[in-house]
């Protein structure tokens, strides 16, 4: 299953339409009860996925095994590996050591910077295609990270390739123990991929900031459909990666 296919399959609207299609098929077979059940399930599913609280539960299921820590509390490693994606940090007065779980540390590059400043590893390896890794390297260098401490892997287009190409760089330098930085909700898949490459992984998830009041609401909202699709995409992605032997 390719990226575009399971991205489409992860959207609640597509899933609801599939259930409705089963319902129509049952109707054609004059299985009226079966048809009614599938159509009802489709309506119920898309309504449930439109609820902010349900979208929040889906996300919690992805990140609940990775607690939120301050950069200073992590153990040391051979390298800090930061995956591309997510928001770009807005470095400013809050980006110095000791900010804890600040708005800077809520981004991948920001947390990587904090870990480096806390001397948790001598190098930072930035992984991501489409210029993501290069952009992060420029940002970190402007924040005082030594150029010789930065490594860039800029050809990967997915998490599997992040792990595959980064592991090759790390093995060449004799580095095995890494602090892996990515978004909290993608950590399960990312950590599994890097461990599959034989690396010792210490997860260092970056947690975004949520509107808690909105997340507790059970009133359907259109924006929550996209959020639910995003989290469902990650669940499906993890399953696909496991089936392909990537994670």
């Amino acid at each position: 299953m390719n990226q575009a296919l399971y991205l489409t399959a992860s959207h609640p609207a597509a899933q609801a339409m599939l259930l409705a299609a089963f319902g129509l098929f049952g109707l054609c077979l004059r299985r009226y009860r079966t048809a009614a059940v599938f159509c009802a399930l489709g309506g119920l599913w898309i309504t449930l996925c439109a609820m902010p609280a349900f979208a929040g539960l889906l996300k919690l299921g992805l990140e609940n095994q990775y607690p939120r820590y301050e950069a200073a509390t992590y153990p040391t490693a051979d390298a800090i590996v930061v995956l591309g994606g997510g928001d770009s940090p807005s470095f400013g007065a809050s980006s110095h050591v000791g900010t804890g779980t600040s708005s800077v540390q809520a981004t991948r590059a920001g947390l990587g910077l904090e870990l480096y400043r806390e001397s948790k590893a001598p190098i930072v390896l930035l992984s991501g295609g489409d210029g993501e890794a290069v952009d992060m390297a420029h940002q970190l260098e402007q924040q005082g990270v030594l150029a010789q401490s930065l490594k860039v892997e800029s050809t990967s287009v997915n998490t599997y390739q992040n792990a595959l190409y980064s592991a090759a760089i790390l093995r060449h330098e004799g580095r095995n123990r890494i602090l892996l930085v990515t978004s909290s909700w993608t950590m399960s898949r990312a950590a599994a991929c890097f461990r599959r490459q034989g690396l010792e992984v210490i997860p260092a998830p970056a947690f975004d900031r949520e509107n808690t009041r909105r997340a507790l609401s059970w009133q359907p909202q259109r924006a929550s459909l996209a959020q639910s699709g995003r989290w469902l995409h990650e669940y499906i992605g993890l399953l696909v990666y496991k089936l392909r032997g990537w994670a």
Side-chain angles (χ1 to χ4, degrees):
M1 184 183 292
N2 61 33
Q3 178 83 2
L5 182 57
Y6 76 77
L7 178 61
T8 301
S10 67
H11 197 284
Q15 296 160 359
M17 289 176 64
L18 180 61
L19 289 168
F22 279 119
L24 290 174
F25 184 67
L27 190 62
C28 292
L29 297 177
R30 297 186 178 180
R31 301 292 182 111
Y32 301 116
R33 183 174 297 178
T34 300
V37 168
F38 275 110
C39 289
L41 285 174
L44 177 63
W45 180 244
I46 198 167
T47 301
L48 194 61
C49 289
M51 296 176 177
F54 182 73
L57 288 174
L58 287 174
K59 186 180 182 185
L60 184 62
L62 293 168
E63 42 180 39
N64 63 0
Q65 59 183 303
Y66 302 107
R68 187 191 306 260
Y69 295 121
E70 293 187 7
T73 65
Y74 281 97
T76 57
D78 299 327
I80 299 161
V81 179
V82 182
L83 304 191
D87 296 330
S88 296
S90 177
F91 293 113
S94 64
S95 63
H96 54 77
V97 176
T99 56
T101 51
S102 65
S103 59
V104 170
Q105 197 170 309
T107 67
R108 302 180 187 192
L111 179 54
L113 174 64
E114 294 293 324
L115 291 168
Y116 176 80
R117 285 175 166 173
E118 293 289 347
S119 301
K120 297 303 178 181
I123 70 164
V124 181
L125 171 58
L126 306 161
S127 177
D130 294 327
E132 289 180 326
V134 175
D135 288 345
M136 287 192 296
H138 288 159
Q139 290 174 340
L140 296 188
E141 194 168 0
Q142 289 173 0
Q143 293 299 312
V145 179
L146 299 176
Q148 58 266 36
S149 296
L150 290 170
K151 306 291 181 180
V152 174
E153 182 287 296
S154 60
T155 58
S156 57
V157 297
N158 56 39
T159 307
Y160 167 68
Q161 291 183 0
N162 287 148
L164 183 67
Y165 301 154
S166 296
I169 295 172
L170 293 166
R171 279 194 294 266
H172 180 73
E173 298 196 356
R175 303 181 189 276
N176 183 68
R177 179 179 165 93
I178 65 168
L179 280 158
L180 180 61
V181 180
T182 187
S183 299
S184 55
W185 48 273
T186 64
M187 183 58 79
S188 291
R189 182 160 55 98
C193 286
F194 276 82
R195 289 184 177 122
R196 189 78 173 181
Q197 296 300 320
L199 297 172
E200 181 183 349
V201 178
I202 304 168
F207 285 81
D208 56 15
R209 295 187 168 191
E210 295 180 331
N211 187 325
T212 305
R213 180 177 299 177
R214 184 168 180 267
L216 291 176
S217 173
W218 289 96
Q219 182 175 353
Q221 300 177 21
R222 179 178 295 181
S224 294
L225 274 178
Q227 291 178 345
S228 291
R230 191 179 190 184
W231 315 140
L232 290 168
H233 168 75
E234 189 61 31
Y235 283 107
I236 295 172
L238 180 58
L239 175 61
V240 170
Y241 270 46
K242 286 185 179 297
L243 290 175
R244 299 190 72 169
W246 291 355

